[in-house]
């Protein structure tokens, strides 16, 4: 059996590639409409996944039909809402802001699990969730509470929060995944369903003239689209599932929290996005909330 080192390396690479989605999404958000960018990312990924895993997919079709509603919901949340809202938000907000909102997903998932599945919330978890919410709110108003009164809130931040919330709902209900579906078939099913449902939206966008953007893309922009197809859409899932199979889901789940860290670091280093005091304060509040939510309380 492979050593734990390779398992952790797989999880680390998956997190890095997902973090790169924020940075590269920001780089092309002004040139490629969100609908066009999302379809251009997922349609080739669906074709590649079907070519790789079609043999495993066929015997699982009865299970897929039985759980079609759940798989459809997960496909809509993870393949459509999460990336489209993110790319729309990156038009007017920074990748750094979007990554900080993503960091609040574990706390949002905690509350959703309580709402949907009646999972217990310990007092320290509740305090952590409140701290994280304050951190998100502080970032939203850019450290100035008066912005709430004058509604001086960037629409891009609202879209980015919607993206994070859609991923939080995804994380909350993915626990219902049928155990009979291996991860390769599961991911292929979600991507295929998401692409099929998104195709009419994409075709409508083409009728509005958005498809003309393809003729205007530079070599660098095509390379970014290729990155989005190969790395965050395919390789991240492969490396993630590989890592989980070695180190286990309990240890692997914590690597989800590294994605915002990579996204923030890449946006600062490569995009040169400025860091303000409110970024630091909101990040500290969210991280403190995350630590509280994951702290294990010893039995008396």
């Amino acid at each position: 059996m492979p050593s734990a080192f390779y398992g952790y390396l797989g999880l680390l690479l998956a997190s890095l590639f997902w973090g790169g989605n924020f940075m590269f999404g920001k780089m092309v958000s002004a040139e490629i409409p969100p609908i066009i960018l999302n379809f251009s990312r997922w349609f080739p990924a669906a074709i590649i996944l079907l070519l790789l895993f079609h043999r495993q997919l066929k015997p699982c079709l009865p299970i897929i039909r039985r759980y079609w509603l759940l798989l459809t919901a997960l496909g809509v949340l993870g393949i459509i809402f999460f990336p489209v809202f993110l790319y729309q938000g990156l038009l007017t907000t920074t990748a750094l802001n979007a990554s900080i909102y993503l960091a609040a997903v574990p706390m949002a998932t905690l509350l959703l699990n309580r709402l949907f599945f009646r999972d217990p919330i310990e007092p320290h978890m509740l305090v952590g969730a409140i701290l994280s919410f304050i951190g998100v709110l502080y970032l939203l108003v850019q450290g100035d509470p008066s912005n709430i009164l004058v509604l001086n809130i960037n629409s891009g931040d609202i879209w980015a929060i919607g993206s994070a919330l859609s991923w939080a709902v995804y994380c909350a209900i993915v626990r219902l995944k049928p155990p009979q579906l291996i991860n390769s078939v599961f991911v292929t099913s979600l991507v295929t369903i998401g692409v099929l449902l998104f195709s009419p939206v994409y075709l409508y966008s083409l009728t509005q003239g958005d498809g003309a953007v393809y003729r205007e893309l530079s070599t660098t922009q095509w390379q970014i689209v290729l990155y989005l197809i190969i790395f965050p859409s395919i390789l991240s899932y492969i490396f993630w599932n590989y890592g989980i199979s070695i180190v286990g889901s309990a240890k692997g789940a914590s690597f989800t929290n590294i994605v915002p860290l990579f996204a923030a670091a890449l946006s600062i280093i490569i995009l040169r996005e400025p860091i303000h005091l409110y970024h630091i304060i909101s990040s500290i509040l969210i991280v403190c909330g995350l630590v509280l939510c994951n702290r294990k309380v010893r039995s008396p």
Side-chain angles (χ1 to χ4, degrees):
M1 182 177 179
S3 67
F5 169 79
Y6 293 107
Y8 288 120
L9 179 61
L11 294 171
L12 200 64
L13 288 173
S15 301
L16 174 62
F17 297 155
W18 277 323
N21 182 42
F22 286 74
M23 179 192 69
F24 287 117
K26 178 63 178 178
M27 290 177 66
V28 298
S29 61
E31 289 78 23
I32 309 178
I35 291 174
I36 299 296
L37 179 58
N38 193 55
F39 190 85
S40 300
R41 167 189 174 184
W42 285 113
F43 177 73
I47 299 300
I48 294 171
L49 288 170
L50 286 170
L51 290 174
L52 289 174
F53 303 116
H54 67 279
R55 291 183 179 177
Q56 295 96 316
L57 186 66
K58 189 174 181 181
C60 296
L61 287 178
I63 302 173
I64 294 173
R65 283 194 290 266
R66 189 185 315 161
Y67 290 92
W68 71 271
L69 188 58
L70 172 66
L71 295 174
T72 298
L74 291 171
V76 169
L77 289 167
I79 309 302
I80 300 177
F81 285 174
F82 172 67
V84 171
F85 287 2
L86 173 63
Y87 297 145
Q88 182 66 40
L90 288 174
L91 285 169
T92 52
T93 193
T94 65
L96 178 58
N97 279 16
S99 66
I100 294 175
Y101 294 132
L102 183 67
V105 163
M107 272 63 67
T109 303
L110 176 74
L111 297 176
L112 290 170
N113 281 334
R114 172 61 181 174
L115 179 65
F116 294 156
F117 306 107
R118 301 299 180 187
D119 286 359
I121 298 181
E122 301 294 335
H124 65 280
M125 293 181 176
L126 180 59
V127 173
I130 293 173
L131 274 179
S132 294
F133 175 77
I134 294 173
V136 170
L137 187 61
Y138 194 79
L139 176 63
L140 187 62
V141 300
Q142 298 183 359
D144 184 0
S146 65
N147 283 338
I148 295 180
L149 300 177
V150 297
L151 297 177
N152 186 20
I153 297 175
N154 189 335
S155 63
D157 289 287
I158 302 300
W159 282 106
I161 289 175
S163 173
L165 287 176
S166 67
W167 188 247
V169 177
Y170 177 98
C171 293
I173 65 175
V174 75
R175 65 194 288 177
L176 301 175
K177 165 186 172 292
Q180 306 96 316
L181 287 184
I182 59 175
N183 282 320
S184 58
V185 173
F186 178 64
V187 172
T188 302
S189 301
L190 296 190
V191 173
T192 303
I193 291 172
V195 168
L196 288 174
L197 292 175
F198 195 59
S199 293
V201 180
Y202 172 74
L203 292 175
Y204 175 78
S205 182
L206 291 182
T207 65
Q208 301 304 301
D210 289 345
V213 70
Y214 288 124
R215 297 191 299 268
E216 302 170 1
L217 294 183
S218 66
T219 301
T220 299
Q221 290 166 340
W222 277 114
Q223 290 172 342
I224 290 175
V225 172
L226 186 62
Y227 170 89
L228 296 178
I229 294 170
I230 296 175
F231 291 90
S233 302
I234 298 177
L235 288 184
S236 281
Y237 285 98
I238 292 176
F239 284 134
W240 183 265
N241 294 331
Y242 173 78
I244 291 294
S245 68
I246 295 176
V247 307
S249 58
K251 294 181 179 178
S254 61
F255 276 76
T256 302
N257 302 322
I258 300 178
V259 176
L261 178 63
F262 277 129
L266 289 171
S267 65
I268 293 170
I269 296 172
I270 297 179
L271 298 182
R272 304 292 184 183
E273 291 185 349
I275 304 178
H276 300 286
L277 180 60
Y278 61 81
H279 286 126
I280 298 173
I281 294 175
S282 61
S283 297
I284 291 174
L285 289 169
I286 291 174
V287 169
C288 288
L290 184 62
V291 170
L292 280 174
C293 284
N294 287 277
R295 184 171 64 89
K296 292 184 179 180
V297 179
R298 295 181 180 179
S299 301

